[in-house]
Amino acid sequence: MDLLSDILNLMKLSGTLYFRPSFVSPWAVEVPRFENASRFHYAHRGRCFIHVDGLADPVLLQQGDLIIVPHGARHIMADPVDTPPQTVDAVVAASGFTGSGTLVYGPMDGDTGTGFETQLICGQFAFDTGAWHRLLDALPPAIVISDYSGAAPDWLDNSLRIIGAEAGHDAMGADLIALKMSEIIFTQAIRKYLETDGANRPGLAGFADTHISRALEAMHADPAQDWTVESLAQIAGMSRTVFATRFSMTVDSPPLAYLTDWRMQLARRMLLDTDLSIIEIAERTGYTSEASFGRVFKRHFDAPPAGYRRTGGEIGGGIAV
C-alpha cells in the first residue's frame, strides 16, 4: 500500500456527512469547528467567499474550485463577502431542509436580493479519535485547488458528477455511493497538494522527496524491522549525516522518532481492533519485550496498553508530540 493510502487507512478516514446546498445571495453561513474531522466544499455553480480560522484573508471559491479544510476549523461561507452569517442550524431551519434533496437558502423570486446562485457540493470526513499522523498535522488551515474538475483526471471529474447526482436522493444506496466517492475526492486532493504546494512544506516535503520517501516506505512496509539511521540512509541512497538532516527538515521529525510514532499508531489500532496479546502486538511493532513496549506506549497515550484496550481508547491523553 502506498504511503498516503497507508496513513489514511490507519486513521480510518470515512465520509460521515454529505449534502448539496443551493444559496441565493445575499447569504452567509457559519460552520463550527469540529474535532477529528475535515471538510470540503466544491463550487458546482457560481461562487462564494470562505473565511477560514487561521487564514488572514478570505478565499474566493469560484465555479470548478475545491477547498479542503483539513483540521475541521471554523469557517464562514458567504456571498457577498461581508454578509452577516447565520448558524448552520438556523440555515437548515429556515430552508426547511429535511435531509433529502438540495438545501435551498436565500432570497427567492420577489424577495430582496441579487439573485446570484451558488451551488455547492459539501462533505465531512471523520478520523478515528486518537489517530494522529505528522502528514495530516502539517497540512495548512485550508487547501484550495482551482478549477478542480479541469485539473482532475476524467474519472474523478465523473465522480464529482455522480456524487452530485446521488447525494440526498432516495434511490437505494445513494447516500453510501456519495460518501465513498467523496472519500476518493478527499484522498486525490491531498495527493495533488503533496505533489504541488506541499512538496516544499515542512512536515510534508519528505513524502515528495525521492530519497526520503524510500525510507518512509521501508518503515511502513516493515515496522517491526530493527531499523537504524544507517540502514534507512542506505535505502535512501544517502550518507547517514545527510539523510538524518534532510529527513528531519522535510518530515519535521528525526527518522527514529517518526518510526516510533508510526509503530504506536499501529499498536493502538491492533489493541482496539484485534484480540492479539500485548506481547504479540509488541513484537509486530518492533519490541522484544512487553515491558519496553508498554513504557513507550504509555508515554505516547498516557495509558498502559491493557488499560487503553479495556476502555476502548477512552482513557489517555492522546499522543505526546
Side-chain angles (χ1 to χ4, degrees):
M1 187 178 291
D2 66 89
L3 282 172
L4 181 58
S5 297
D6 202 18
I7 292 165
L8 293 179
N9 183 60
L10 186 72
M11 297 189 71
K12 288 201 168 183
L13 167 72
S14 62
T16 59
L17 178 66
Y18 200 92
F19 66 101
R20 296 190 309 165
S22 179
F23 300 116
V24 180
S25 62
W27 63 273
V29 58
E30 179 181 346
V31 182
R33 175 174 175 77
F34 202 90
E35 297 291 339
N36 303 309
S38 294
R39 294 188 173 99
F40 82 80
H41 304 289
Y42 172 71
H44 180 63
R45 179 181 297 175
R47 66 158 203 190
C48 68
F49 293 88
I50 302 184
H51 308 250
V52 181
D53 282 0
L55 295 183
D57 300 312
V59 173
L60 173 59
L61 199 70
Q62 302 189 84
Q63 185 167 316
D65 293 352
L66 175 78
I67 185 170
I68 303 281
V69 185
H71 308 300
R74 169 187 171 272
H75 54 284
I76 296 173
M77 302 185 292
D79 186 37
V81 65
D82 56 354
T83 306
Q86 301 292 317
T87 65
V88 171
D89 289 344
V91 169
V92 170
S95 70
F97 183 62
T98 62
S100 297
T102 302
L103 184 157
V104 179
Y105 178 78
M108 299 294 104
D109 291 343
D111 294 336
T112 301
T114 66
F116 295 131
E117 183 184 16
T118 302
Q119 292 184 6
L120 301 172
I121 297 174
C122 305
Q124 178 172 296
F125 309 92
F127 296 102
D128 191 26
T129 302
W132 179 87
H133 193 275
R134 290 185 182 279
L135 185 150
L136 292 183
D137 202 47
L139 293 173
I143 297 170
V144 180
I145 300 178
S146 299
D147 190 18
Y148 183 69
S149 58
D154 289 342
W155 65 267
L156 196 55
D157 186 25
N158 291 335
S159 296
L160 280 165
R161 297 177 186 275
I162 291 171
I163 58 179
E166 295 287 350
H169 286 194
D170 293 331
M172 289 189 297
D175 289 341
L176 180 61
I177 290 170
L179 288 171
K180 291 302 179 184
M181 286 196 167
S182 62
E183 292 170 19
I184 293 172
I185 289 171
F186 178 87
T187 303
Q188 200 274 347
I190 297 300
R191 181 176 66 184
K192 183 173 179 62
Y193 180 76
L194 292 175
E195 293 171 349
T196 53
D197 294 346
N200 297 310
R201 186 178 178 89
L204 302 177
F207 295 87
D209 185 295
T210 303
H211 298 281
I212 299 301
S213 63
R214 290 179 196 158
L216 288 165
E217 288 166 356
M219 286 187 274
H220 279 244
D222 189 5
Q225 177 66 255
D226 185 21
W227 295 111
T228 63
V229 175
E230 288 82 358
S231 62
L232 290 169
Q234 186 175 12
I235 289 173
M238 306 168 74
S239 71
R240 182 189 186 283
T241 301
V242 171
F243 168 74
T245 300
R246 187 187 297 186
F247 192 103
S248 295
M249 289 179 60
T250 58
V251 182
D252 201 23
S253 169
L256 298 187
Y258 177 93
L259 175 62
T260 299
D261 289 340
W262 181 245
R263 284 171 167 175
M264 290 301 102
Q265 285 295 325
L266 291 172
R268 177 185 166 279
R269 281 263 49 96
M270 284 188 274
L271 285 167
L272 298 178
D273 295 346
T274 76
D275 294 326
L276 292 172
S277 67
I278 303 297
I279 187 58
E280 287 177 301
I281 294 173
E283 291 171 347
R284 292 190 182 198
T285 52
Y287 295 88
T288 57
S289 77
E290 188 172 330
S292 60
F293 166 72
R295 285 193 295 272
V296 177
F297 188 91
K298 186 172 183 180
R299 188 163 65 244
H300 274 69
F301 296 102
D302 198 27
Y308 195 89
R309 166 179 272 173
R310 185 172 57 254
T311 63
E314 292 300 319
I315 64 172
I319 190 167
V321 294

